[in-house]
Amino acid sequence: MVTAVRTLDEGAWVNVNNTRIVGVSDIWPLVDHDVCDCDTALFLVEVFTDIGVDGPWVEARAAGQCIGCGERGATGWLRIGRADGDEFRSIDYEGGQRPSNARFSD
Ligand SMILES: [Zn+2]
């Protein structure tokens, strides 16, 4: 079970159960988003503004910039991973399955 989620270093990291699972400077391809007019925003994460837990899901909101068009903005709640027993698994969406989803670049 996820027992603790928080951000570290003023929003530079998302920390789940004392493990840093995702940091800023990742680029998230986002679909169905409000960041800009791109069908798929290439969203450069600059800061995590909120983090929360919804059942097994760990969700976060982030602010940053679409590197495709230059628009700045903030995401809604994005599922960034889920607890699977004692393990935490990061999301690796192929895109398009659900609103406001994210998948992580390699
Ligand atoms: Zn864009």
Side-chain angles (χ1 to χ4, degrees):
M1 292 293 295
V2 172
T3 56
V5 298
R6 61 193 176 114
T7 56
L8 293 179
D9 297 340
E10 299 178 346
W13 293 91
V14 172
N15 188 299
V16 176
N17 290 342
N18 297 316
T19 301
R20 292 179 180 195
I21 58 160
V22 58
V24 294
S25 301
D26 275 359
I27 293 172
W28 295 353
L30 302 179
V31 297
D32 194 9
H33 61 87
D34 296 325
V35 175
C36 62
D37 292 331
C38 298
D39 287 340
T40 300
L42 299 176
F43 187 73
L44 175 64
V45 180
E46 294 179 340
V47 64
F48 294 100
T49 54
D50 287 296
I51 182 166
V53 176
D54 179 14
W57 297 99
V58 175
E59 301 182 328
R61 298 171 67 187
Q65 183 174 22
C66 174
I67 62 172
C69 69
E71 191 88 29
R72 305 189 69 82
T75 70
W77 286 101
L78 302 172
R79 289 177 172 180
I80 60 171
R82 63 176 290 158
D84 186 8
D86 290 334
E87 265 185 79
F88 178 83
R89 296 173 187 273
S90 292
I91 289 295
D92 187 17
Y93 286 128
E94 291 304 316
Q97 296 100 328
R98 62 183 73 243
S100 294
N101 64 18
R103 72 182 162 84
F104 298 100
S105 57
D106 293 329

